[in-house]
Amino acid sequence: MSNGAAAEFEAKLKKYRINRAEHEMITTLLGHEPQGIEWALFSALWSEHCSYKSSKVHLKKLFNKSRRVLESFGENAGVVDLGQGERIAFKIESHNHPSFIEPYQGAATGVGGILRDIFTMGARPIALADYLCFGEQSAPRMKSIVDGVVRGIGGYGNCVGVPTITGQTEFHSSYNNNVLVNAMAVGLFGKGERVFLSKARGKGNWVVYVGAKTGRDGVHGASMASESFDEDSAAKRPNVQIGDPFFEKLLIESCLEVMAQDLVVAIQDMGAAGLTSSSFEMASKGGVGLKMNLDDVPLRDPTMSPEEILLSESQERMLLICEPSKFEQLQAVFHRWGLDAVKIGEVLDERVVELRWRNETICKIDPDLLVENCPQYQRPYSPWKAKNRVAGSSDVKTGVKNANEFLSSVLKDVRGTSRKWIYHQYDSRVGAKTVRDCADSVGIVRLPESGRGLGVILGCRPYVMRWDAREGGIDAVAYPALELAAKGFEPLAVTDCLNFGNPERENIMSEFVASLEGMSATCENLDAPIISGNVSFYNETMGQNITSTPSTGLIGLRDTVSEIPVSEFSSDGEAIYLLRLPMVATGGATQELNKLPVTGFGQLEPSLIGAFTRLVRVLADYREGGTLLSSTRIVGKFGLAYALARMSMRGTGCRIDVDKLKAARGEVSTDDLFREHMYEIVVTAKKGREQDLEAEFRQIRGALASADLLPIGRTGGQKVEIAGVLDYALTDIQNSYKTGIWA
Amino acid sequence: MKIGVKVMPRKEILDTQGRAVEGILKQHGQKLEHCTVGKYIILDIPETDPKAALAAAKSMAETVLYNPLIETFELEQI
Amino acid sequence: MKIGVKVMPRKEILDTQGRAVEGILKQHGQKLEHCTVGKYIILDIPETDPKAALAAAKSMAETVLYNPLIETFELEQI
Amino acid sequence: MMKRKCGIVRFPGTNCDRDVFQAVEMVGAEPVWLWHADQFIAKEYDSIFLPGGFSYGDYLRSGALASRAPVMKSVREAAERGIPVLGICNGFQILTEAQLLPGSLIRNNHLRFNDDWVGLKFQNTNRFFAGALRKGTNAKLPVAHGDGRYFVEDDELKRLQDKGQIWLTYEQNPNGSINDIAGVMNEKGNVAALMPHPERAMTEWMGGVDGFKFFEGDLT
Ligand SMILES: Nc1ncnc2c1ncn2[C@@H]1O[C@H](COP(=O)(O)OP(=O)(O)O)[C@@H](O)[C@H]1O
Ligand SMILES: [Mg+2]
């Protein structure tokens, strides 16, 4: 190669983010040097974002089957069968980089994208949830990022008419330059409604493009999401993608209508890498070929090049396959909703994707080369070892001196204060199915045909991840599973969004593997498989990696929405118990607030968690004669004192008996009140049902010897009172908690 | 002195509002090729020198009135 | 031919956004007496005669672009 | 007995249409879809509902683009014939934009979307909708809107007060509405609208039941 040619070659590798080894593989696969558009196609489909090349070897090991699973990885979203003809599609996805660049549009298009993954399958979206991690108040732009992200999620979800029923918000300096915006959508298939897949089929069937016109939005977005941020990212940013929830609403209604009329063979949304990934994946999965004429793609700007058309990430577009005889009827439906539907190609028998542009074939290539043959990397990692442990639970020092003062500061701190400022910007009840909204610890919708309850909840507590990645992974499933169980819901399945830093760094990859092992083991013990998800690597900005954050979304089922325990004390004189399975004691959130290193004692045991979750669920479930438990809340961040304060928020306080608490926990101290014992649940028995509750617990505890149900006090009064340790007036609690987010 | 700030969506960026309004106007049989919807902000600035007022307006536009990722702006003296 | 339609709030009390923007600008230490936030709509009309184009724009403004209860509008050729 | 026939108008972007459909079914009446691009025969309906949502994305002004749609000719005719017409949330915005009701709904004073439960007070009885809930009654319903701040000029406000057209007020004003107004009606009372969502408070599991009566029809 001449110097000039060599430089040009280097520049190409850089532009298309393909390394030398990959270039060699591509040349071998193609039988020739990549030419013209082939560079762009491999760049997009072999990007980390589209190919999962650093994670696939580990994702394959995840527990992903149960008798309920209908679809799992490989399709747009996972689908579980609830019986009685009802099925649920759900998935969580990240939109971290775009939300950092343009918070409103980044978050909005994140919601739009995840919704399309759901209704592409034929499910009507019925709920949204958002998992957000922000930096510190003092970080540059952070206030406006928080504001923009929240507005963006609300702006899209509210308009498209899908309620946001739960969420989680975290703050930590590791997100200062790299926020996380993960959105989850849940869709419902009613009786007799078909699940649609993306496998193209049937020689001579038409490839149809529907929805918005293609513009230069987000060209090269997929490969950009696959590299770390540096200072000039702003300069090389693609055109910001603009979401139009109004258009999406039209797309939802029209797509569901053509599906109901049986006019669709296969369908796929155009997400990352736009038309390229949708068409190549549809062909590859269906084992067929496609011939597409790029001149027929509706364009917003007629001067676009084929490469731009193929890689555009314009929002609100779908690709579908239909029988030619049904096209007219299909087009009529889209027209009625004011949308375009145009034929841009045909299905071929031969396994090739042929792209035509200005009467020339610009590419003819086996789709499997792009979709199936991407290299899979076994990135170096080291096996998990327990870290940051102390010798006993009383060695976990929280740094709290004065319980009242600390509780007050926690309730005002952004990490412990009310999230009302966020969720009041979200419509939580459109759809008229919402039973419990963001104000409660679990989001609940009622399934209209069967009247059963579907619980939706998010997980992953970054401070646990910072302490120990395996425990953090277990907790990312266990904690939300217990939250579901404490309302009487059986956890059914899990979706995950693996937000990590640079996988080429061994410490990051080690955390990735350890947390995945923890998650998978817990899922297996719960019989709640991981059936969909997304990996977001390279959350690294200027050398700083985010906290490894495998966020999760769980769904759970309850036979009725009657008498679901609430999350606050609601009437005086009820017996308060601690329902517990102690495995770990940690300072967690409290230590971080006090700027101490996080330490802990013990180890989480997935098999015990599975059994404990089942036990909790039975106690919280509806039964003849009424639910035994009136209120439940998991003791989480900031320990028991904070949990009791939160439970007193509606105006009913509590008095804790120090001797009983000591009998239950072995220690009553300022330190211990703010430690977290994984896992504990504060529950109240319905009046007159204490005996029944205790008897039931003894009966079903079975072999779970380390589980306990211990009375610790009674509800009532206008204070949270633990004699000699804590004495806090409800009005102060309410006022501090109201302080809210600083945005 | 009053300065008008016209903030419009950038040309290559999708103008969702314009698209919807255009659709409706066309449905109503209006003769229209294209429609773009933006913002108009009138700033009343305590300056008598047009140059100084325009400079102040520019600085305000850049601090909060427009988002350079998706919009462009123009100033005019009114 | 392009016609600009400037739609402004009819009174102070209707200009919630203006109040907010004014507050933010002042917080940023900008010298500002008052600020009003309205809309700017560019209509691209297939007419070459300015009079005809302005008449068409007026009809569009009156059909839907402004609400006389809360707004006023002005047209300009651009 | 014949079921009451309730027309439910759908615009592109309407998103509470199915919820209102469900509410109408819950009270035992018969819901019928009405499409924005078509006109309908007004006298065939016992009442007409304009549900909430974001018709045309709320672009330009909430309700503005929808208020000019063909179906509104028939809605106007229904209103003139004395057929009960109820606008909910975006439906309220559409009815004011169509000038079937006085005033306008502008951006919330805090400039944010607001989702919450609100306490309401009936300032006057409307015999066509929620007739059982008399003047002076209280109710609790969800709100969810960004443009819910009701505005009218002072003289018009006085006229509304004098003629008893102020239907509902908020106990705690969530959006800066003039005189805490949450719902109004025309002089005859057959055209009425409110920002809160009665269709989201139909049974206990929804968190409240005060919405039910809004769909029960003329009870007098
Ligand atoms: N980003 C968000 N979107 C919607 N709801 C949220 C969000 N963040 C937090 N919430 C809601 O706020 C409530 C309180 O959150 P949090 O303080 O983390 O307490 P909890 O321990 O109950 O989850 C939760 O029930 C949750 O549903
Ligand atoms: Mg939570």
Side-chain angles (χ1 to χ4, degrees):
Chain A
M1 243 188 271
S2 74
N3 266 352
E8 198 181 306
F9 176 67
E10 283 301 331
K12 260 203 168 145
L13 291 180
K14 194 157 184 255
K15 171 173 178 199
Y16 291 106
R17 298 180 178 95
I18 289 171
N19 66 34
R20 279 175 176 277
E22 287 169 351
H23 170 262
E24 248 168 60
M25 275 186 75
I26 294 169
T27 309
T28 316
L29 286 170
L30 288 172
H32 61 79
E33 272 284 309
Q35 291 161 359
I37 200 82
E38 287 167 354
W39 278 99
L41 297 178
F42 277 98
S43 167
L45 287 174
W46 281 25
S47 69
E48 186 68 56
H49 192 75
C50 290
S51 72
Y52 293 89
K53 58 190 170 192
S54 300
S55 57
K56 217 170 204 164
V57 291
H58 301 288
L59 296 179
K60 278 187 195 149
K61 293 184 278 188
L62 288 176
F63 174 70
N64 70 353
K65 284 195 188 62
S66 79
R67 66 192 165 89
R68 294 185 184 273
V69 176
L70 298 178
E71 295 296 334
S72 101
F73 288 107
E75 272 307 326
N76 285 299
V79 180
V80 281
D81 191 348
L82 307 185
Q84 305 184 26
E86 289 169 330
R87 286 140 300 152
I88 293 291
F90 75 112
K91 186 180 178 185
I92 189 166
E93 201 160 79
S94 64
H95 228 210
N96 306 337
H97 289 102
S99 302
F100 191 75
I101 295 172
E102 209 318 283
Y104 185 96
Q105 292 297 339
T109 52
V111 173
I114 192 63
L115 285 171
R116 283 194 291 288
D117 275 334
I118 300 303
F119 70 79
T120 302
M121 302 196 76
R124 176 172 285 277
I126 56 168
L128 283 166
D130 61 326
Y131 182 96
L132 310 175
C133 295
F134 298 120
E136 299 162 297
Q137 180 171 8
S138 56
R141 291 177 60 225
M142 195 48 66
K143 278 179 133 171
S144 73
I145 291 175
V146 172
D147 180 54
V149 164
V150 171
R151 276 179 194 273
I153 289 169
Y156 207 99
N158 300 347
C159 178
V160 58
V162 182
T164 300
I165 61 167
T166 190
Q168 193 169 329
T169 312
E170 302 288 339
F171 295 86
H172 188 258
S173 58
S174 74
Y175 307 110
N176 279 0
N177 295 304
N178 194 321
V179 299
L180 302 186
V181 176
N182 298 173
M184 169 173 168
V186 180
L188 171 67
F189 301 91
K191 284 195 185 97
E193 286 168 359
R194 203 181 117 194
V195 176
F196 284 80
L197 302 180
S198 57
K199 301 183 176 83
R201 275 185 288 121
K203 180 179 185 225
N205 280 342
W206 287 10
V207 181
V208 179
Y209 172 115
V210 300
K213 291 186 171 61
T214 296
R216 285 201 175 83
D217 322 42
V219 173
H220 295 302
S223 46
M224 197 181 91
S226 308
E227 75 169 11
S228 303
F229 254 30
D230 50 34
E231 273 177 287
D232 59 318
S233 288
K236 52 178 185 203
R237 71 188 159 228
N239 286 328
V240 171
Q241 308 162 32
I242 304 285
D244 187 350
F246 166 59
F247 224 77
E248 177 110 328
K249 172 69 174 161
L250 305 180
L251 206 53
I252 293 179
E253 297 304 331
S254 50
C255 285
L256 293 180
E257 200 169 315
V258 292
M259 288 170 175
Q261 292 182 25
D262 201 21
L263 304 175
V264 177
V265 173
I267 179 165
Q268 164 87 41
D269 66 300
M270 294 191 224
L275 183 57
T276 304
S277 70
S278 51
S279 58
F280 280 82
E281 280 173 18
M282 287 181 92
S284 170
K285 280 184 197 157
V288 295
L290 299 178
K291 181 175 175 174
M292 295 198 302
N293 196 352
L294 299 182
D295 299 293
D296 294 333
V297 173
L299 299 182
R300 218 161 67 220
D301 178 347
T303 65
M304 286 176 72
S305 69
E307 184 171 320
E308 288 171 323
I309 296 171
L310 282 164
L311 295 182
S312 159
E313 293 190 354
S314 289
Q315 300 290 300
E316 291 98 21
R317 303 178 301 159
M318 310 285 265
L319 198 64
L320 61 82
I321 307 292
C322 95
E323 291 168 22
S325 64
K326 293 185 173 172
F327 178 72
E328 224 170 279
Q329 205 187 332
L330 178 130
Q331 197 181 34
V333 172
F334 283 104
H335 283 174
R336 196 171 111 89
W337 286 99
L339 299 179
D340 273 346
V342 296
K343 178 193 174 192
I344 62 166
E346 285 188 12
V347 176
L348 310 173
D349 258 348
E350 193 192 346
R351 299 182 75 145
V352 310
V353 172
E354 181 181 347
L355 301 173
R356 307 264 308 159
W357 167 251
R358 308 249 154 105
N359 292 321
E360 269 180 54
T361 294
I362 56 166
C363 162
K364 197 167 173 178
I365 185 171
D366 177 351
D368 287 347
L369 301 186
L370 288 148
V371 179
E372 294 294 329
N373 288 346
C374 178
Q376 289 182 15
Y377 295 129
Q378 180 62 266
R379 306 265 188 213
Y381 68 92
S382 39
W384 173 78
K385 283 200 293 289
K387 58 174 202 177
N388 305 322
R389 296 305 205 278
V390 290
S393 52
S394 53
D395 297 322
V396 176
K397 300 295 177 207
T398 60
V400 179
K401 307 243 156 46
N402 178 313
N404 274 16
E405 269 170 33
F406 184 76
L407 184 55
S408 162
S409 66
V410 160
L411 289 166
K412 287 180 197 154
D413 188 273
V414 73
R415 286 163 281 188
T417 198
S418 170
R419 270 76 178 119
K420 191 166 176 173
W421 180 87
I422 296 174
Y423 61 72
H424 269 216
Q425 301 185 51
Y426 303 156
D427 190 336
S428 61
R429 295 186 172 263
V430 58
K433 295 181 193 65
T434 304
V435 180
R436 295 280 174 85
D437 58 22
C438 301
D440 213 306
S441 62
V442 176
I444 301 171
V445 286
R446 181 178 172 277
L447 301 172
E449 284 173 347
S450 66
R452 294 181 292 175
L454 185 79
V456 179
I457 178 83
L458 300 177
C460 184
R461 301 186 297 159
Y463 67 82
V464 186
M465 283 298 299
R466 285 189 285 274
W467 171 52
D468 183 311
R470 175 183 173 272
E471 310 295 51
I474 294 174
D475 182 74
V477 177
Y479 191 87
L482 281 171
E483 287 186 286
L484 283 170
K487 304 296 173 199
F489 286 76
E490 180 193 357
L492 295 186
V494 180
T495 180
D496 64 349
C497 188
L498 306 171
N499 305 278
F500 284 78
N502 185 344
E504 295 160 48
R505 294 183 197 276
E506 187 174 326
N507 63 326
I508 304 288
M509 206 56 208
S510 304
E511 293 192 358
F512 183 79
V513 174
S515 60
L516 240 55
E517 283 169 0
M519 289 167 74
S520 187
T522 313
C523 287
E524 193 162 355
N525 279 290
L526 289 165
D527 197 25
I530 301 183
I531 61 164
S532 64
N534 151 260
V535 181
S536 169
F537 275 134
Y538 298 99
N539 289 286
E540 178 189 46
T541 303
M542 291 177 270
Q544 189 200 6
N545 285 281
I546 58 158
T547 302
S548 297
T549 313
S551 70
T552 57
L554 274 67
I555 58 164
L557 188 64
R558 193 180 194 263
D559 276 342
T560 164
V561 295
S562 297
E563 294 195 36
I564 299 170
V566 295
S567 301
E568 285 95 13
F569 301 135
S570 54
S571 86
D572 284 0
E574 287 184 339
I576 306 173
Y577 295 82
L578 269 183
L579 175 56
R580 63 196 311 257
L581 177 80
M583 293 173 281
V584 158
T586 169
T590 309
Q591 288 172 322
E592 284 197 347
L593 201 90
N594 285 332
K595 300 196 168 60
L596 295 172
V598 177
T599 58
F601 165 74
Q603 195 165 310
L604 294 176
E605 205 39 74
S607 63
L608 297 180
I609 291 167
F612 186 55
T613 306
R614 282 185 285 278
L615 184 151
V616 172
R617 187 193 74 78
V618 172
L619 294 180
D621 204 357
Y622 183 78
R623 64 189 60 217
E624 208 75 16
T627 308
L628 295 173
L629 301 177
S630 49
S631 67
T632 56
R633 186 175 175 88
I634 318 291
V635 180
K637 59 186 177 192
F638 310 119
L640 182 62
Y642 178 78
L644 293 171
R646 290 281 300 273
M647 290 189 88
S648 303
M649 209 61 79
R650 292 272 158 90
T652 302
C654 61
R655 184 169 298 132
I656 302 302
D657 183 322
V658 178
D659 296 332
K660 284 185 178 159
L661 185 59
K662 184 146 195 203
R665 277 181 145 194
E667 180 182 346
V668 178
S669 64
T670 303
D671 253 329
D672 202 51
L673 279 188
F674 296 95
R675 265 182 216 138
E676 200 177 318
H677 295 259
M678 294 154 124
Y679 290 101
E680 275 178 342
I681 309 173
V682 177
V683 306
T684 54
K686 215 175 270 167
K687 256 184 223 133
R689 304 297 300 274
E690 294 90 348
Q691 308 299 325
D692 296 341
L693 174 65
E694 290 172 21
E696 173 88 16
F697 173 78
R698 280 193 302 271
Q699 196 192 329
I700 62 174
R701 171 161 62 167
L704 199 55
S706 51
D708 243 325
L709 177 76
L710 297 158
I712 57 165
R714 290 217 171 256
T715 61
Q718 290 299 303
K719 289 199 288 196
V720 172
E721 197 185 332
I722 306 174
V725 199
L726 183 83
D727 189 330
Y728 206 81
L730 294 197
T731 46
D732 293 342
I733 291 180
Q734 288 160 337
N735 287 334
S736 302
Y737 191 62
K738 265 203 310 238
T739 313
I741 315 280
W742 32 253
Chain B
M1 172 164 289
K2 286 192 178 165
I3 304 291
V5 189
K6 208 189 279 178
V7 179
M8 301 303 289
R10 254 172 61 189
K11 236 185 33 232
E12 24 343 327
I13 294 262
L14 174 66
D15 172 18
T16 56
Q17 198 162 193
R19 174 168 72 181
V21 176
E22 187 179 311
I24 284 282
L25 286 169
K26 283 178 177 165
Q27 259 175 42
H28 277 269
Q30 299 280 2
K31 272 206 281 176
L32 177 72
E33 249 150 41
H34 188 69
C35 159
T36 320
V37 180
K39 278 185 290 205
Y40 198 84
I41 301 143
I42 300 174
L43 300 171
D44 196 345
I45 299 172
E47 290 279 1
T48 45
D49 172 29
K51 249 188 157 163
L54 283 168
K58 180 156 182 282
S59 137
M60 292 185 222
E62 286 167 354
T63 7
V64 296
L65 301 181
Y66 99 113
N67 178 348
L69 291 177
I70 54 181
E71 292 165 330
T72 58
F73 77 96
E74 265 174 54
L75 301 177
E76 62 188 12
Q77 194 183 321
I78 44 180
Chain C
M1 172 164 286
K2 286 192 179 164
I3 305 292
V5 189
K6 205 188 283 178
V7 179
M8 300 304 289
R10 207 164 51 73
K11 354 160 128 177
E12 172 104 13
I13 179 178
L14 294 166
D15 185 19
T16 325
Q17 248 183 310
R19 297 293 62 68
V21 174
E22 194 175 305
I24 297 172
L25 284 171
K26 284 181 176 162
Q27 251 176 46
H28 278 264
Q30 299 281 3
K31 272 207 281 179
L32 177 74
E33 246 148 44
H34 190 73
C35 155
T36 318
V37 178
K39 280 181 277 228
Y40 199 83
I41 302 149
I42 299 175
L43 301 170
D44 195 346
I45 299 171
E47 290 279 3
T48 46
D49 173 29
K51 251 191 159 157
L54 283 166
K58 180 155 183 281
S59 139
M60 291 185 229
E62 285 167 352
T63 335
V64 58
L65 299 183
Y66 98 112
N67 177 346
L69 293 177
I70 49 175
E71 293 163 329
T72 59
F73 79 98
E74 262 173 57
L75 300 178
E76 63 187 9
Q77 195 182 321
I78 44 178
Chain D
M1 204 179 82
M2 279 268 290
K3 278 191 174 181
R4 266 187 321 122
K5 193 165 154 185
C6 300
I8 300 171
V9 186
R10 308 176 90 183
F11 297 95
T14 300
N15 65 28
C16 303
D17 41 350
R18 296 155 57 87
D19 310 1
V20 170
F21 195 97
Q22 167 181 286
V24 167
E25 281 184 331
M26 279 172 139
V27 300
E30 180 197 354
V32 180
W33 290 129
L34 300 171
W35 187 242
H36 68 100
D38 303 329
Q39 299 192 16
F40 59 90
I41 299 167
K43 64 169 193 270
E44 290 179 356
Y45 293 85
D46 296 300
S47 48
I48 305 293
F49 291 91
L50 280 81
F54 287 68
S55 56
Y56 295 96
D58 266 5
Y59 293 135
L60 212 55
R61 297 180 307 280
S62 301
L65 301 179
S67 72
R68 274 70 170 173
V71 74
M72 289 306 291
K73 268 215 173 100
S74 308
V75 172
R76 193 175 299 276
E77 194 198 320
E80 280 159 11
R81 281 174 164 270
I83 295 168
V85 176
L86 183 70
I88 301 169
C89 198
N90 190 228
F92 189 178
Q93 295 159 343
I94 295 168
L95 288 173
T96 56
E97 277 283 345
Q99 297 188 16
L100 285 166
L101 286 173
S104 303
L105 290 146
I106 59 174
R107 187 65 39 95
N108 292 350
N109 58 350
H110 45 79
L111 293 170
R112 288 184 192 278
F113 191 92
N114 180 40
D115 172 289
D116 210 345
W117 285 85
V118 294
L120 296 163
K121 186 168 187 151
F122 282 82
Q123 295 298 332
N124 285 289
T125 312
N126 178 304
R127 71 178 184 90
F128 300 91
F129 297 102
L133 301 176
R134 308 262 148 196
K135 179 174 177 168
T137 321
N138 291 306
K140 196 185 98 184
L141 292 178
V143 287
H145 58 245
D147 295 339
R149 179 181 176 198
Y150 188 72
F151 173 80
V152 276
E153 296 292 347
D154 291 342
D155 49 343
E156 180 75 23
L157 180 64
K158 175 134 201 322
R159 203 156 44 234
L160 293 181
Q161 285 165 333
D162 292 347
K163 301 222 159 126
Q165 285 177 246
I166 296 172
W167 186 19
L168 288 159
T169 53
Y170 299 108
E171 278 170 358
Q172 276 187 330
N173 197 329
N175 54 28
S177 276
I178 195 162
N179 281 31
D180 306 325
I181 291 174
V184 299
M185 54 183 138
N186 66 357
E187 260 184 73
K188 277 195 285 184
N190 70 311
V191 180
L194 72 167
M195 284 313 291
H197 287 276
E199 79 281 11
R200 300 183 186 181
M202 300 292 290
T203 71
E204 284 300 340
W205 63 258
M206 289 185 181
V209 297
D210 293 346
F212 198 86
K213 298 222 153 45
F214 286 78
F215 298 92
E216 283 186 315
D218 187 346
L219 290 183
T220 50

